[in-house]
């Protein structure tokens, strides 16, 4: 689920667009409006907007789009309920609105038209509305178990308009080049060959680089606006990682890791024979000592017997 937010000053224009017969529009919810026809709807909006003439763009228009994978379960009632909860979380309440579903595209989507001047003449705040909208869309996607898109790879490039078309072209180029380049010089040169200019922003009057801006087809994009991974610091870290990986690959090719050779059968034989020889020698020494000790003991006993015989005599 994702939302596209637009503000304007012409209620008739947004009503005509949303209720265009060519889009097979079906109204799924509304409040505070005379819904007899498109003219009465626009008249209702305009009448309430006069309660606060300080707002230059009182028209609120939000398109909520859903994944095609969720289409079987997205009835008009379900989509209307999700849209109403989205409005509540966005602070769009106590005001005129209508919600209509379109069938002119392959993915399910609804359009919300609302008056930014509420029923009491107060302005509905648009402060940080896109940040809040992104967070709320993610929350509702999880709450209702909707399909979670995998990211920019699934966006249909052929349906994009400028500057989004160029932004996604730049995203595809950066994704490839940042993954293979080992330094900024090579990256800048490769991007230039593909029509992308690179400019660095510095901190104050110093030489310290704090950001990068990419220019293509006359459009300028901060790196982090193309994608979070393309901020200056993250690109720099990726280039360093590529460089380290390349060096490791060169070292692996240049040097072979020497593995110790196993002792030969002869050496093993000599080793064991020597060991056994030492053990055998040790055993021989022990046996000789035992024999000598026995001989000494026998000699002592013989002498004792001899003395006893002498005493008897």
């Amino acid at each position: 689920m994702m939302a596209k937010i637009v503000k304007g000053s012409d209620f008739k224009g947004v009503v005509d667009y949303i209720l265009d017969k060519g889009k097979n529009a079906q109204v799924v919810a509304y409040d505070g409006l005379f819904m007899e026809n498109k003219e009465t709807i626009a008249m209702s909006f305009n009448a309430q907007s006069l309660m606060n003439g300080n707002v230059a763009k009182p028209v609120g228009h939000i398109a909520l789009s859903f994944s095609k994978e969720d289409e079987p379960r997205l009835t008009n009632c379900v989509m209307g309920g999700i849209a109403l909860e989205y409005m509540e979380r966005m602070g769009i309440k106590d005001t005129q609105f209508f919600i209509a579903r379109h069938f002119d595209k392959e993915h399910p989507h609804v359009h919300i038209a609302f008056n930014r001047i509420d029923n009491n003449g107060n302005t509905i705040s648009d402060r940080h509305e896109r940040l809040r909208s992104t967070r709320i869309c993610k929350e509702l996607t999880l709450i209702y178990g909707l399909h979670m898109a995998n990211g920019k790879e699934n966006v249909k490039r052929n349906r994009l308009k400028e500057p989004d078309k160029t932004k996604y072209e730049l995203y595809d180029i950066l994704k490839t080049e940042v993954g293979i380049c080992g330094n900024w010089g090579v990256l800048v040169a490769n991007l230039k060959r593909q029509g992308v200019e690179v400019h660095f922003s510095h901190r104050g009057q110093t030489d310290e680089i704090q950001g990068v801006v990419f220019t293509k087809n006359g459009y300028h994009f901060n790196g982090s606006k193309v994608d979070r991974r393309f901020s200056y610091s993250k690109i720099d870290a990726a280039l360093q990682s590529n460089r380290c990986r390349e060096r490791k690959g060169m070292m692996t090719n240049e040097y072979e890791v020497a593995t110790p050779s196993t002792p030969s059968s002869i050496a093993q034989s000599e080793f064991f024979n020597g060991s056994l020889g030492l053990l055998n020698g040790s055993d021989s020494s022990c046996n000789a000592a035992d024999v000598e000790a026995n001989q000494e003991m026998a000699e002592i006993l013989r002498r004792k017997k001899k003395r006893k015989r002498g005493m008897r005599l």
Side-chain angles (χ1 to χ4, degrees):
M1 172 182 170
M2 61 182 296
K4 182 178 180 180
I5 302 175
V6 180
K7 291 189 289 289
S9 58
D10 183 11
F11 279 109
K12 185 178 184 303
V14 73
V15 171
D16 287 343
Y17 172 80
I18 295 177
L19 298 181
D20 184 358
K21 291 182 179 180
K23 301 181 184 300
N24 297 320
Q26 295 180 4
V27 176
V28 298
Y30 67 91
D31 188 40
L33 299 168
F34 293 105
M35 298 295 294
E36 184 176 349
N37 53 51
K38 290 188 287 186
E39 286 71 23
T40 60
I41 296 172
M43 182 183 66
S44 301
F45 276 131
N46 284 320
Q48 182 157 306
S49 67
L50 295 176
M51 296 172 64
N52 188 339
N54 296 324
V55 179
K57 294 183 177 181
V59 179
H61 178 197
I62 301 174
L64 293 181
S65 299
F66 301 82
S67 173
K68 186 178 180 181
E69 282 79 356
D70 294 320
E71 186 172 13
R73 53 186 293 211
L74 291 177
T75 63
N76 287 359
C77 182
V78 171
M79 294 179 72
I82 295 174
L84 288 172
E85 186 168 351
Y86 169 87
M87 292 173 63
E88 179 72 21
R89 290 174 179 240
M90 285 289 291
I92 304 171
K93 50 189 176 181
D94 298 325
T95 191
Q96 300 166 314
F97 73 89
F98 75 90
I99 303 170
R101 180 175 183 175
H102 281 183
F103 294 88
D104 59 328
K105 296 179 181 178
E106 62 181 14
H107 66 276
H109 63 287
V110 295
H111 289 265
I112 304 170
F114 66 96
N115 201 330
R116 294 188 60 233
I117 309 303
D118 69 15
N119 299 334
N120 300 311
N122 299 317
T123 305
I124 294 176
S125 175
D126 60 354
R127 184 177 178 83
H128 304 308
E129 62 181 355
R130 284 176 172 76
L131 291 175
R132 290 187 288 117
S133 176
T134 300
R135 174 179 55 80
I136 291 168
C137 284
K138 289 181 179 179
E139 291 173 353
L140 293 177
T141 296
L142 294 174
I143 290 172
Y144 287 93
L146 301 175
H147 177 75
M148 184 74 75
N150 292 328
K152 293 183 172 65
E153 284 74 10
N154 289 336
V155 175
K156 295 183 178 179
R157 309 300 201 260
N158 61 323
R159 301 185 64 176
L160 293 174
K161 297 180 180 180
E162 297 293 2
D164 289 334
K165 182 179 179 181
T166 296
K167 180 179 178 180
Y168 276 84
E169 289 176 0
L170 184 56
Y171 169 83
D172 292 335
I173 293 172
L174 287 173
K175 185 178 68 170
T176 299
E177 296 299 335
V178 172
I180 61 176
C181 294
N183 58 66
W184 280 101
V186 175
L187 176 62
V188 170
N190 288 359
L191 293 177
K192 189 172 184 178
R193 283 195 292 269
Q194 299 178 68
V196 180
E197 296 292 333
V198 181
H199 304 279
F200 298 100
S201 58
H202 297 79
R203 186 181 299 278
Q205 301 299 320
T206 69
D207 294 331
E208 181 184 354
I209 298 175
Q210 66 175 4
V212 60
V213 178
F214 300 101
T215 302
K216 181 175 173 59
N217 298 335
Y219 297 102
H220 308 281
F221 302 95
N222 290 332
S224 59
K225 297 299 182 182
V226 177
D227 193 83
R228 290 182 180 179
R229 77 179 87 170
F230 298 138
S231 66
Y232 172 78
S233 60
K234 290 186 178 179
I235 291 178
D236 194 58
L239 297 179
Q240 291 184 32
S241 177
N242 294 344
R243 194 157 57 247
C244 291
R245 188 165 56 247
E246 183 179 351
R247 287 175 180 172
K248 288 180 180 178
M250 292 174 62
M251 291 177 64
T252 302
N253 293 333
E254 186 174 353
Y255 300 104
E256 293 183 0
V257 179
T259 55
S261 57
T262 57
S264 64
S265 58
I266 297 176
Q268 289 179 348
S269 177
E270 290 177 351
F271 173 79
F272 287 113
N273 288 339
S275 299
L276 291 174
L278 290 173
L279 291 173
N280 290 337
S282 177
D283 287 343
S284 299
S285 299
C286 290
N287 291 337
D290 290 342
V291 171
E292 185 176 356
N294 290 337
Q295 289 176 348
E296 290 180 356
M297 182 61 67
E299 181 64 23
I300 292 172
L301 291 175
R302 187 180 64 79
R303 290 175 182 174
K304 285 183 177 180
K305 288 181 180 180
K306 189 174 181 180
R307 282 199 297 270
K308 287 180 179 180
R309 289 175 186 170
M311 290 175 63
R312 288 176 183 174
L313 294 173

